[in-house]
Structure formats: structure tokens, C-alpha cells
Amino acid sequence: MDLRLPSKVLEHILSFVDSNEDRNSVSLVCKSWFETERRTRKRVIVRNCYAVTPEAVARRFPEMRSLTLKGKPHFADYNLVPDGWGGYAWPWIEAMAAKCPSLEELRLKRMVVTDECLEKIAASFKDFKVLVLTSCEGFSTDGLAAIAVACSNLRELELRECIVEDLGGDWLSYFPETLTSLVSLDFSCLDSEVKLSDLERLVSRSPNLKSLKLNRAVSLDALGSLLRLAPQLVELGTGSFSDKLDQEAVSKLSQAFSEMKELKSLSGLWDVLPEYIPLLYSVCPGLTSLNLSYATVQMPDLVELLTRCSNLQKLWVMDLIEDKGLQVVASSCKELRELRVFPSGAEGLNDTNVAMTEQGLVSVSEGCPNLESVLYFCVQFTNAAMVTIARNRPNLKCFRLCVMEPFAPDHKTQKPLDEGFKAIAERCKDLQRLSVSGLLTDKAFEYIGTHGKKLRMLSIAFAGDSDLMLHHLLSGCESLNKLEIRDCPFGDTALLENAAKLETMRSLWMSSCCVSFGACKLLSQKMPKLNVEVIDEHPLETRPDSSPVERIYIYRTLAGPRLDMPEFVWTIQKNPEIGVSHLAIK
Amino acid sequence: MELDLDLSLSPHTNSSNFGLGFDLNKHLNTKEKSFDAMLGLENMEEDCYVSKPRSFSLNGQSDKEDDDPLEPDSSVVYDEEENCKVVGWPPIKSCMKKYLNYRHRSRNHPYHHHGRRINISNQPATIERGGPLTSLRSSMYVKVKMDGVAITRKVDIKLFNSYESLTNSLITMFSQYQDCDREDTNFKFTFQGKEGDWLLPGDVPWKIFAESVHRISITRDCLCPYTRLLF
């Protein structure tokens, strides 16, 4: 008796299954479920663009409408990945243009996107709607013009922290008069001034515009007229907030802000002058997200603003807020879920005039019951503070502490910060992401390995004593998916002993550690399903097996070795003549 | 496992290189043009991987295993002019780093009001509108493309103070790619400004040029051995 569901019925049922995790499970049940699922999946996410080939993805999901890709490893954000390493969007765009011309949405993170890519998108996907580029590079404003002019149904164009070759502001003028579908526009990372009249016209003919993030070159005066044209905005990124306005302009701007009843997210505010802070008071009660990373006002002004933000869920701010300001956040922003505090000193280094310590974070952990995500840059920290934070907030999901002084111990007891991170790992049972810093011994990693069972991503810098550190992590953290390590003194043994673990993870990055060339070769031989990339400035042909390599990036892949490696990236497949490892492993 | 490691980064082992990033001493010495040329890598931007050489010296860490690891034997000696820099530390994205540098410099600028509340009507005129204070940027890299050379280079305009110093440097930089004798060659420089238009050297005063140049293009005509044969 054939008990199979007719595929039409199955298709209908699957149309209610949205989450890709569930769909992945569905596709493992049996062949017919695999087939039906793949033919109906609309949203595809590939979190490592080298884990699988573009052709394979295009072949498997012919009805794809939305593709999300991530390229370079996370540490590329901090300039640890040399230019030219890879992460090219072109092969993907080419494959999709050929096989999935109905593609509507493309979201790329840390990839190299050229003007040719953008032109290809504009030419190939007739119903293209969404382009979101995060931390991408390689294109110019000419490429943006190509998108603007050709994508007649464009809904979202967002450039988040991209490095763009800025040839001027003309690209904005290429949006045709017939384009009225815009919902979101983010050009905050560009430098050049766009033509205000074109921007105003674009905004006026976009009744669905919900999110607008301007660049710094848009003046405060211009902001006023834009807000009057788009009072319905839900997300606003202002331009520079420091121009001098006369009283009339100021009151007009104030009026414009008070008309914005839907505003939930505010960012930009570059160089905001203290006297303009009151302009924002009217929108504060409605805000759920406030990004003050570029708002260089002092604590008293920040406090005035934050006392009025009772619904705030996400706050990004500079350490100019100081402990006092964070106390105010703790008492006023009871809905807070995510806090990020960035350093305000030059190059991100310590500005000794700022009175912000571990106490600030402790206050917020006490006052904000929903706090689950923290990124905190601080000069130094204490174990006691971390123990308190862990006790207050066992619901933490993401804890990233950056003690800016490498190897800094607990500044009260001079002990390593092992106990503090132990408390975090132990108490915060749902912790998924952790970044550690300060003086740490192997013990800290033993604790993390023992308790961090839900930990998926771990970042480590300047820590540990030996191989044990890595061994604890690889053998203990069951859910570990991404591990990135820099400047830690461990070597080959732990890596080779836990080689099998690497196939269960998305990727491992290690730079400035003590992994030898021989170990890399051995690992490559033992684990054919991994790409073991050695990224090293200096040529490897004459390297002895024992010499340490500068960086390794190891990731699981179905695609085999990639074909676009630059000279400074070595894999065993690329240079087999370098040969077999001569290491003797005891 | 028998391994003989050249580099030892643990604070507790014999090492004269304290492990604050492999690249410290290497980088100080290896920003060589030959490396860049070999890999065809462009010169990098300010925030980037191969940082400008900084003087940075460390005392070696004690090699005694029993030493209290918390007693800092080593000390980090800061360069007089700048704080010491380790690549990618602290982990801040380049757009924010760029902004912090700009802010740090402008705080020392005579027109900056240091965040004090100021009565609007007493304001002096703002110095610039609609753009970052480019004169306060620490460096400004522009792309330089020479005819017939596949590799595009980048130069920091801030390092020069005249058209002549710039053009001479560029000629020297590219001389490794040419197979022509410098003297014989006629170089033509053109510069692309913010608006996209191309200018000749000297069209605008140096200061204005230095703040608005986006790209440099060099064409050359030289009587190389091959063309000589034609005449």
C-alpha cells in the first residue's frame, strides 16, 4: 500500500513551514520529501560561501527568491584577513542569473562585490526587490547607479558599513521618477553629498518608505525638509547633527520630529551638539532602538535623552555615558534587551578621561531584567563584577567583553579573570555567543568547556597558557559552531586530537598562534571534508614542518578546494608538491 | 610531539618577542614594496592589515616558570607620538575607527567647542558644511593607475606638499614596472577630482587639490627599444 502523501498535499503543508531549520529536517525524512521541499524553498541562506558551490545551490533550489550569503571570516572586520583573500560575490550572481532569474532578494555579508556584480544584478533579475550589503567592499557608486536605474520594483537598498569607492553623489539621481516602491534606503556609509532635491523627490514619491538612513553629508537643515516629507518613517538615520541652525530652523526641525508618530529606531546623530538633544525628546518614548555610537555628547546630555526612553530595547552608545549614565539606563530603560558600549578614545584605545568601569555594566544587569545581549568595551574588569552580572542575568544569550588592555588581570585582586568567566558560563545556561578577554589561564577554558554547552560562537584573544585551552573547548563545547582565536599560545596537539570536531563546526580561525605548518598538512590529509587554508605572507615552499604559520582558516565544505585562492593562501590541494607532513605525533 | 618552534608566543616561555601579535616585529620590517609587487597587492589603506611602521619596543617576559604570572615583568613602551597599535585590536570595525580618529583630531581643533552648551546666536561661522573635515584626516589614499601597468597602486596624498614632490614619487614608485629609461619617458599626469572631472597638475592650488583628488592617472610615452627600431 502506498502510504505516501500526494506531492501536491505535501507541498501545501510545507508552505506553512517557514524556518529553514525545520525545512532542513524535512528534507532529511525521505527522497520525496527532499524533492518537494527543495522545489518549494524560497529563502536560502548559505553562511559560508565556500561551503557549497553556487551551481549546486541554484540546482537544488530552483524557486529561490531570496539568497543570503556570508563570505569572509568574522575577524576580517578587524583587518586580520588580508585583502584579496576571497569571498567574491560574482560566481554566485552569475550562477543565479543563469538558473534562478526570478531571484528577488540578495543579502551579502563580508563579500567582495564589484560594479560588474551590481550591473549583472540589475540586468538579470527582472523583479529584483531587495539588496542588502553588510561589510562588503569592491564596488563604487557607479554600481549603485546601475541598480537604481534598472530595478524598477526596488524595495530595499541598504549599505551597512560597506567600503565603497565614492565617486560622488550622482548615483541617487538615477532612481527613475517611476520608482515609487521604495521601503528602505540606507546609504549611511557613503561620504559624498547627494543632491538634496533628488533625495527629496525620491522620498516624496515613496509612500511606503519606512526606513531612511542618511549619510553624514546630509545637513541638519536638509533633515528637516526630509522629515516633513516622510513623517511615517519607522527607522531614521540622521546625517550630521552639528550644523548651526537659526532659531526658526530649529523650531521647524523640532516640529518635524514631533510629527513622527511611528518612529521606533534612531541612529546617525553624528557629532550631535548638546543644544540639539532636546529636539529628540518628542520621539524618545516611542523608541525601541537607539544607536548613539557616533553621538559624541557627554554623560549629562545622554542622561537627559535616556531618561525619556522608557521603551528602549536596544542601545548602542559610547563609553562617554560613564557609570553614572548606565545607572540611569538601568532605572529608566526597563525593557532593555541589548546593550553595546563602544570606546571613545582615538583608534578605540583608552581615553583616560572617561569614568566608565565594570560598575556600569553591573548596574544595567541589575536593573534590566530582559538584558540578554551585551558588548562591552572597558579598560579593565573584575571577577566579582562578572559573578554579579551572571547572578543577576542568567538569561544572557550573548556576552562579549572586551577588556582593552591585553592580559589585564582583575584590577582589584590582580588575579586572572578565570572565575568571572566561569560564573558567566555556568550560570548563563542559554549562552550562545561569548567573547573573552583580559588575563586568562587554561582554567578559564576548562570552565567554559565544562559549562558552555549551548555555546555556538566563541572569540578569544591574548589568552590561555597552552594546548589545554583549545583541547577543553573542542572537547567540551558540544554546540560549538564558530571558533576564532588570535594570539594564543597553543599549538598542534589539541588541534590534531580534536580534528573530528572540526567537521561538526562551520569554521575555525586561528591567527598568531603556534600551529605548525606540518600540523596543517597533516590535518589536511586526515580530513578531506575540510578546507584547511594557511594564510601566510611568506612563501611556504621552503618552510620546515615545524615553523608556525601566521593564520589558518579551517571550514567544512562540500565544494572541495576553492579555485579563487590568492598566492598567500595555501591548501594541500593547491600545492601538493609541498608534500606530506614529516611530523611524528606521539 | 617533537616540534621545534621558531616563534614562541606564550608569556611563560623563552621569548624575546612578547606575543602581542605575531606581526609586531615582522610588520615593522616587512612593509616592503617587493612583497606587495610580488603578490600584486595594492598598497593598503590606513586601517589595514599592514600598518605603517611604528616604533614599539617591549622588554622580554621572564622565562622563569615559577614567576607569578601576574607580576608584569614585561612592559609595553609606547611610542611618544602615538599609542602602540596591534593589528585589529581593540576589535572595532574600520568605519568606527575612522570616525574615532577624526573625532580625536577635531577635539584638538581650535573651532571645536568641546561639547559645551553654547548660545546659538554667538556662534562663529562653521568652517565647513556638508563634508568631513578632510584636512584633519590622518591620511588620504588615492588610486594611481599607470598606462600599461596592471597593478593599481595607492598613495597617501597627505605625505606630499606639492605637485612636484607627488609626481616625482609616483615616477619612482612605478619605475620598477617600466622597462624604459626614466629620462627618456614623457609622463603625463591627470587627476580626477570629487566631481569626476579630470584636471592637470597645477590647475588648482595644491591645498584644494589635496582635499578633493580621487584618482590619479599616468600616461607615458617613451621611446622604448622596440619603438626606436621603427624610426
Side-chain angles (χ1 to χ4, degrees):
Chain A
M1 190 165 66
D2 191 345
L3 294 170
R4 270 185 302 185
L5 282 175
S7 59
K8 281 263 176 291
V9 176
L10 185 56
E11 254 180 56
H12 182 71
I13 296 173
L14 286 184
S15 65
F16 297 102
V17 180
D18 212 33
S19 123
N20 273 1
E21 217 181 308
D22 290 340
R23 278 182 164 264
N24 289 342
S25 306
V26 163
S27 62
L28 290 173
V29 169
C30 65
K31 278 212 173 89
S32 70
W33 279 43
F34 175 88
E35 280 301 306
T36 312
E37 192 284 313
R38 76 173 187 84
R39 278 187 278 106
T40 56
R41 193 184 297 208
K42 299 267 186 309
R43 219 169 24 109
V44 176
I45 303 176
V46 180
R47 292 188 173 88
N48 175 1
C49 67
Y50 289 119
V52 66
T53 62
E55 291 74 28
V57 174
R59 230 182 0 251
R60 180 170 168 189
F61 302 113
E63 295 302 310
M64 197 192 313
R65 293 284 179 277
S66 156
L67 178 61
T68 302
L69 292 171
K70 294 190 187 177
K72 299 185 199 176
H74 172 236
F75 271 178
D77 283 353
Y78 315 125
N79 296 318
L80 290 175
V81 178
D83 268 6
W85 170 83
Y88 303 106
W90 176 258
W92 288 88
I93 295 171
E94 206 182 23
M96 296 311 140
K99 297 245 168 57
C100 306
S102 315
L103 192 71
E104 295 176 359
E105 306 181 5
L106 200 51
R107 293 176 172 83
L108 306 178
K109 186 166 182 177
R110 283 191 213 103
M111 294 193 78
V112 177
V113 179
T114 57
D115 285 347
E116 287 70 33
C117 293
L118 297 175
E119 285 155 18
K120 184 89 170 153
I121 292 171
S124 316
F125 305 115
K126 292 299 154 218
D127 206 18
F128 199 70
K129 296 198 167 78
V130 171
L131 183 64
V132 177
L133 303 177
T134 307
S135 303
C136 293
E137 49 162 1
F139 60 101
S140 77
T141 43
D142 285 352
L144 297 177
I147 296 282
V149 81
C151 301
S152 47
N153 290 321
L154 196 67
R155 279 210 313 248
E156 296 177 28
L157 176 61
E158 294 181 19
L159 308 173
R160 303 178 185 172
E161 294 174 328
C162 293
I163 299 177
V164 184
E165 189 185 348
D166 198 328
L167 302 169
D170 307 333
W171 63 274
L172 190 95
S173 314
Y174 281 83
F175 283 112
E177 291 298 321
T178 47
L179 181 78
T180 56
S181 47
L182 212 55
V183 172
S184 168
L185 178 64
D186 179 353
F187 60 99
S188 51
C189 61
L190 298 181
D191 284 329
S192 294
E193 219 174 315
V194 298
K195 212 158 151 214
L196 182 61
S197 52
D198 287 339
L199 184 55
E200 282 174 347
R201 275 207 305 278
L202 179 62
V203 169
S204 338
R205 65 174 185 276
S206 305
N208 297 322
L209 193 67
K210 293 275 182 292
S211 172
L212 179 62
K213 296 188 180 165
L214 309 167
N215 67 355
R216 201 155 119 210
V218 175
S219 68
L220 204 47
D221 209 11
L223 181 67
S225 46
L226 288 167
L227 294 187
R228 277 189 289 282
L229 293 169
Q232 79 281 6
L233 286 178
V234 176
E235 293 182 349
L236 171 65
T238 73
S240 150
F241 228 91
S242 61
D243 314 328
K244 296 290 174 272
L245 298 179
D246 58 34
Q247 288 294 5
E248 196 197 329
V250 169
S251 61
K252 271 192 172 169
L253 189 55
S254 175
Q255 180 66 22
F257 269 112
S258 58
E259 301 287 315
M260 301 187 71
K261 307 290 182 201
E262 312 291 320
L263 197 66
K264 292 233 168 345
S265 161
L266 183 60
S267 58
L269 302 170
W270 275 291
D271 307 316
V272 58
L273 297 178
E275 56 260 36
Y276 292 149
I277 295 282
L279 287 172
L280 306 171
Y281 290 169
S282 54
V283 295
C284 285
L287 288 182
T288 55
S289 166
L290 182 55
N291 183 349
L292 298 170
S293 316
Y294 299 105
T296 50
V297 282
Q298 305 299 319
M299 185 268 294
D301 300 300
L302 289 171
V303 159
E304 281 301 318
L305 197 56
L306 291 165
T307 36
R308 292 169 161 84
C309 296
S310 48
N311 285 313
L312 208 58
Q313 292 175 18
K314 178 169 125 174
L315 174 64
W316 293 17
V317 70
M318 291 177 122
D319 59 9
L320 300 169
I321 193 170
E322 300 179 359
D323 288 344
K324 281 216 187 103
L326 287 174
Q327 262 168 16
V328 171
V329 170
S331 53
S332 311
C333 308
K334 291 301 187 187
E335 303 297 317
L336 198 68
R337 295 200 186 147
E338 178 181 327
L339 174 69
R340 294 195 189 189
V341 181
F342 297 101
S344 57
E347 285 279 322
L349 291 170
N350 169 39
D351 188 340
T352 46
N353 294 328
V354 171
M356 199 192 76
T357 69
E358 71 277 3
Q359 209 33 58
L361 186 56
V362 172
S363 315
V364 177
S365 74
E366 268 161 17
C368 302
N370 296 326
L371 187 71
E372 53 183 33
S373 173
V374 171
L375 169 60
Y376 201 75
F377 282 83
C378 194
V379 182
Q380 41 194 14
F381 224 76
T382 63
N383 284 311
M386 267 194 270
V387 170
T388 310
I389 292 166
R391 206 177 11 169
N392 291 336
R393 291 280 64 82
N395 49 324
L396 280 175
K397 291 217 172 75
C398 165
F399 185 73
R400 296 162 72 189
L401 176 65
C402 180
V403 176
M404 292 192 286
E405 182 77 39
F407 308 110
D410 176 324
H411 69 88
K412 292 213 171 102
T413 65
Q414 299 308 313
K415 288 195 154 66
L417 290 175
D418 298 346
E419 291 302 312
F421 282 108
K422 175 186 180 200
I424 295 279
E426 211 176 5
R427 295 239 176 196
C428 305
K429 302 256 187 285
D430 291 324
L431 196 68
Q432 288 180 13
R433 185 167 177 185
L434 178 64
S435 299
V436 300
S437 53
L439 183 67
L440 294 166
T441 70
D442 286 342
K443 267 234 155 287
F445 301 99
E446 189 189 328
Y447 299 142
I448 294 171
T450 311
H451 299 290
K453 295 305 177 191
K454 295 260 181 80
L455 208 53
R456 293 176 58 80
M457 182 170 176
L458 182 54
S459 309
I460 307 174
F462 306 111
D465 302 316
S466 72
D467 262 355
L468 278 181
M469 168 191 129
L470 185 61
H471 177 69
H472 289 311
L473 294 173
L474 290 179
S475 56
C477 298
E478 289 157 5
S479 313
L480 198 60
N481 194 29
K482 286 204 297 189
L483 180 56
E484 47 186 25
I485 304 177
R486 64 164 295 179
D487 295 276
C488 294
F490 70 81
D492 304 332
T493 321
L495 192 61
L496 292 168
E497 272 179 14
N498 291 285
K501 172 79 176 171
L502 298 175
E503 271 181 6
T504 69
M505 292 167 54
R506 190 186 313 161
S507 66
L508 168 63
W509 168 277
M510 291 185 290
S511 52
S512 309
C513 300
C514 304
V515 181
S516 71
F517 188 37
C520 296
K521 285 196 244 180
L522 200 56
L523 193 63
S524 311
Q525 287 162 244
K526 276 172 73 174
M527 312 291 299
K529 287 200 225 151
L530 299 177
N531 271 356
V532 177
E533 292 188 11
V534 175
I535 303 166
D536 200 311
E537 291 179 37
H538 303 101
L540 293 168
E541 290 86 35
T542 51
R543 285 279 193 96
D545 276 2
S546 55
S547 78
V549 294
E550 285 175 4
R551 299 171 200 82
I552 8 176
Y553 185 46
I554 303 172
Y555 52 92
R556 66 180 170 203
T557 178
L558 297 170
R562 57 183 176 111
L563 303 169
D564 59 1
M565 286 183 274
E567 269 202 33
F568 54 86
V569 172
W570 170 90
T571 61
I572 198 173
Q573 296 92 351
K574 187 181 169 203
N575 303 94
E577 73 278 5
I578 297 185
V580 169
S581 162
H582 296 295
L583 276 184
I585 308 289
K586 285 196 189 144
Chain B
M1 182 142 80
E2 292 154 51
L3 288 177
D4 183 26
L5 296 177
D6 297 336
L7 267 187
S8 173
L9 298 174
S10 161
H12 303 294
T13 57
N14 274 336
S15 171
S16 56
N17 287 335
F18 195 67
L20 265 187
F22 75 97
D23 46 10
L24 283 177
N25 292 321
K26 277 207 231 161
H27 270 296
L28 298 179
N29 301 325
T30 57
K31 182 161 163 52
E32 294 152 359
K33 295 220 158 97
S34 58
F35 166 62
D36 283 359
M38 178 172 74
L39 296 190
L41 294 175
E42 295 179 23
N43 285 344
M44 311 279 192
E45 289 207 61
E46 64 201 287
D47 290 314
C48 136
Y49 165 65
V50 179
S51 52
K52 296 200 197 107
R54 312 255 182 240
S55 66
F56 183 102
S57 65
L58 292 164
N59 301 328
Q61 181 73 319
S62 157
D63 56 10
K64 290 173 256 172
E65 294 281 334
D66 304 307
D67 251 12
D68 184 351
L70 310 161
E71 208 70 53
D73 274 339
S74 80
S75 55
V76 173
V77 174
Y78 290 127
D79 192 323
E80 276 143 33
E81 288 144 1
E82 286 152 339
N83 288 328
C84 80
K85 286 176 188 145
V86 177
V87 173
W89 189 263
I92 299 180
K93 294 188 184 170
S94 45
C95 49
M96 179 164 271
K97 256 198 182 147
K98 201 166 89 175
Y99 177 72
L100 290 176
N101 281 341
Y102 150 71
R103 176 180 170 258
H104 183 69
R105 278 171 170 71
S106 68
R107 277 165 84 204
N108 303 322
H109 193 276
Y111 290 116
H112 190 84
H113 56 78
H114 297 290
R116 291 193 312 271
R117 287 180 172 274
I118 294 175
N119 194 331
I120 291 180
S121 55
N122 289 341
Q123 271 313 296
T126 44
I127 17 171
E128 263 184 72
R129 275 192 178 272
L133 296 164
T134 53
S135 53
L136 301 175
R137 270 200 241 153
S138 55
S139 53
M140 182 167 149
Y141 282 88
V142 297
K143 273 190 185 166
V144 186
K145 180 91 175 60
M146 180 183 270
D147 246 3
V149 177
I151 300 171
T152 308
R153 307 303 301 270
K154 276 189 182 173
V155 283
D156 181 0
I157 293 287
K158 296 289 173 198
L159 297 176
F160 303 97
N161 55 11
S162 70
Y163 284 108
E164 193 168 324
S165 57
L166 172 64
T167 53
N168 279 337
S169 264
L170 289 177
I171 294 173
T172 311
M173 181 162 78
F174 277 99
S175 60
Q176 57 193 291
Y177 299 128
Q178 301 163 217
D179 39 23
C180 306
D181 187 6
R182 240 181 109 142
E183 259 75 76
D184 264 0
T185 313
N186 215 345
F187 291 97
K188 235 216 220 112
F189 291 86
T190 41
F191 308 102
Q192 188 184 39
K194 259 196 202 143
E195 328 276 295
D197 45 330
W198 289 90
L199 310 161
L200 292 173
D203 274 0
V204 291
W206 172 262
K207 263 200 145 196
I208 297 182
F209 160 82
E211 273 163 29
S212 61
V213 62
H214 264 265
R215 252 183 198 164
I216 302 177
S217 168
I218 310 175
T219 53
R220 55 184 170 137
D221 65 322
C222 67
L223 294 174
C224 358
Y226 309 106
T227 48
R228 273 209 197 95
L229 292 173
L230 297 175
F231 295 102

